[in-house]
Amino acid sequence: MVTRFLSWTRQAGALLNKDFKAEFRTKYALNSFLMFAVTTLVIVSFAVGPYYLDPVMHASFIWIIIFFSAMAGLARAFIKEQERGTVYALKLSTTPEIIYLGKFCFNLLLLLLVLLVIIPFYFFFLSPSVGNPLLLVVVLLLGSLGLTGTTTILSAIVSKANVKGNLLPVLAFPVLLPLLITSINGTRLALEGYTFGEASSELRVLSSFFVIMTTVSLLLFNYVWED
Amino acid sequence: MLLIELQKITKDYNGHIIFSDICETLREGSCLVITGPNGSGKTTLLKILAGLIRPASGKFTISVDGTLLADENRKDYLGFVSPDLYLYEELTALENLEFFVKVRGLAESEEYCLKLLKKVQLDKWGGSLVGTYSTGMKQRLKFAYALLHQPLLLLLDEPGANLDEEGQALVQEIISQQKETGAVILSTNDPAEVARYGDQVLKLDEAGRCFIK
């Protein structure tokens, strides 16, 4: 069992390493990700201007930016394989589970990298007050895990369609709705300074969403990936 | 002893039969050549054998010494070269091979990948991005990719495409070496290749029928 797990980790790690190497040479996903995030952020900051926003509005803006940036960037991992014809080479080399895990890790790191850029920028431009910064980090992390877990399998489905990237937000939105509502609520609680105990139901929903979506994705990915 | 069996393989697209009831048996040391006009389903049949698409009906089995190999492990026994298969252009040839070694969970080292590059005469360009390669060089790299895990069965779709004389000789050498340890199934339209490699020949026609020579 341990040997198998280690082998999975090594194989998924190889895929992650390959994707990062290719990504930093082509900036295929990162550019669309960052462009969308920064543009939206600037538009929001201009629109809001000097007005005071309450924590609910800040939380909503943060997750709208994260959601649409993710939709712009995360679909690329599979679309690129499909468009460049490398999908056969990959299919013939490893199991669907390894591919899901490798792509999930790549998407997660990419999303966290973008969050590292846009969250400080958001606070710089819009200056919301944060009552519990640690809770905010945990909510962002759990929300990102659920968002990535769902988007990874959906982008594999979308990569086989003709319209590809445009389809992802449409497919993802209904599935991600519970996650987005909970993440917005959790972020609001963090901004208002609530404790971990008071935000425990949000944290439980976010953790459960991630575990359920990742488990279901691992079980179903074989059917999505194979023709 | 390796035994490969195609059992009544049929494929259709939206009700239009591409080919039906293809049956053939292939043993270790043999090369089956699939030939036929454009659109007769040669590439489709190879993709079915590779497990990349599903047949409408029928089965393809590989057994070694009477033991049937599981379908889900098929990729461990197959090497596939096709014009529809591409490698990562943003990586170098060596990085490509190293990636596929690791993602397959093989223990082979960088020296092994360099040896394979030398075998396909790409050792001088191992550090260059695949995107800068000519189509012939990419075809050679596909052979290195297909041989990486020393497969029992090599599936070759138009193996001589885009290759110069040296490349053609390389294909011939790879096929004869593969026949020593396993088997080869290749598809081609070139009568010279059919005559050169075809221990068994399967001819497909546009009406979806097959003839065994």
Side-chain angles (χ1 to χ4, degrees), chain A residues 108-140:
Chain A
L108 180 66
L109 288 178
L110 206 59
L111 181 60
L112 292 179
L113 200 68
V114 172
L115 287 190
L116 274 178
V117 177
I118 59 171
I119 296 299
F121 268 107
Y122 187 90
F123 280 86
F124 177 76
F125 283 122
L126 292 144
S127 324
S129 59
V130 191
N132 189 343
L134 195 59
L135 178 62
L136 179 68
V137 171
V138 174
V139 170
L140 286 173

Side-chain angles (χ1 to χ4, degrees), chain A residues 54-64 122 184 187-188 191:
Chain A
D54 61 21
V56 183
M57 292 302 288
H58 279 300
S60 306
F61 276 134
I62 287 173
W63 279 98
I64 287 170
Y122 187 90
I184 289 170
T187 307
R188 177 185 63 85
L191 295 178

Side-chain angles (χ1 to χ4, degrees), chain B:
Chain B
M1 185 67 177
L2 175 68
L3 182 69
I4 294 146
E5 285 180 289
L6 285 68
Q7 298 167 2
K8 291 192 161 192
I9 295 180
T10 299
K11 180 69 185 173
D12 71 314
Y13 280 118
N14 303 322
H16 168 70
I17 301 282
I18 308 294
F19 46 72
S20 62
D21 293 333
I22 293 182
C23 296
E24 182 64 325
T25 302
L26 186 69
R27 290 175 198 283
E28 191 172 313
S30 299
C31 178
L32 169 68
V33 175
I34 304 164
T35 185
N38 293 339
S40 58
K42 301 184 295 296
T43 299
T44 305
L45 180 57
L46 278 185
K47 282 183 187 171
I48 288 172
L49 301 183
L52 293 170
I53 53 177
R54 290 179 210 276
S57 63
K59 261 189 2 183
F60 166 60
T61 59
I62 306 177
S63 50
V64 179
D65 297 328
T67 309
L68 206 63
L69 301 179
D71 270 1
E72 57 268 28
N73 298 333
R74 191 185 285 180
K75 63 181 188 320
D76 298 335
Y77 308 105
L78 294 177
F80 185 56
V81 175
S82 165
D84 292 343
L85 181 142
Y86 294 87
L87 300 175
Y88 296 99
E89 302 215 333
E90 57 275 29
L91 302 183
T92 67
L94 186 60
E95 284 170 345
N96 262 288
L97 295 187
E98 283 178 334
F99 162 63
F100 286 111
V101 160
K102 285 178 190 157
V103 88
R104 275 186 178 279
L106 303 173
E108 270 77 4
S109 59
E110 189 185 320
E111 282 113 88
Y112 175 74
C113 298
L114 286 168
K115 212 170 100 184
L116 266 179
L117 284 175
K118 196 168 181 179
K119 183 175 181 156
V120 296
Q121 299 152 1
L122 285 177
D123 46 330
K124 284 183 201 159
W125 296 277
S128 306
L129 292 178
V130 174
T132 64
Y133 277 22
S134 69
T135 42
M137 289 163 82
K138 285 178 189 168
Q139 180 74 352
R140 285 167 190 250
L141 185 61
K142 287 179 196 177
F143 275 97
Y145 157 80
L147 295 170
L148 204 62
H149 53 299
Q150 297 156 348
L152 289 173
L153 175 62
L154 205 50
L155 300 171
L156 307 175
D157 187 7
E158 308 284 354
N162 305 310
L163 290 177
D164 54 15
E165 255 180 55
E166 258 182 65
Q168 299 285 356
L170 176 74
V171 173
Q172 202 167 348
E173 187 192 324
I174 287 172
I175 289 175
S176 60
Q177 279 176 3
Q178 177 65 26
K179 281 165 71 176
E180 288 168 17
T181 53
V184 180
I185 300 180
L186 74 86
S187 81
T188 182
N189 274 324
D190 182 356
E193 281 187 344
V194 177
R196 193 182 307 142
Y197 304 123
D199 301 318
Q200 293 164 246
V201 180
L202 186 76
K203 190 168 175 8
L204 300 174
D205 73 3
E206 283 157 323
R209 292 168 302 194
C210 79
F211 308 93
I212 297 161
K213 285 187 187 171

Side-chain angles (χ1 to χ4, degrees), chain A residues 19-117:
Chain A
D19 275 342
F20 260 105
K21 213 177 263 182
E23 180 55 38
F24 283 100
R25 282 179 192 168
T26 59
K27 314 279 189 300
Y28 196 81
L30 200 62
N31 278 351
S32 46
F33 222 144
L34 276 174
M35 277 302 290
F36 192 93
V38 172
T39 311
T40 322
L41 190 59
V42 171
I43 290 170
V44 168
S45 67
F46 276 123
V48 170
Y51 300 108
Y52 169 79
L53 290 181
D54 61 21
V56 183
M57 292 302 288
H58 279 300
S60 306
F61 276 134
I62 287 173
W63 279 98
I64 287 170
I65 295 169
I66 294 174
F67 173 76
F68 283 107
S69 309
M71 294 304 111
L74 296 188
R76 300 284 172 186
F78 282 107
I79 291 175
K80 190 170 71 172
E81 301 277 0
Q82 199 77 37
E83 283 178 349
R84 299 193 172 185
T86 50
V87 71
Y88 283 160
L90 201 55
K91 270 185 182 176
L92 289 168
S93 301
T94 192
T95 60
E97 294 80 15
I98 303 267
I99 292 166
Y100 177 80
L101 283 178
K103 295 289 182 188
F104 168 79
C105 293
F106 171 71
N107 279 343
L108 180 66
L109 288 178
L110 206 59
L111 181 60
L112 292 179
L113 200 68
V114 172
L115 287 190
L116 274 178
V117 177

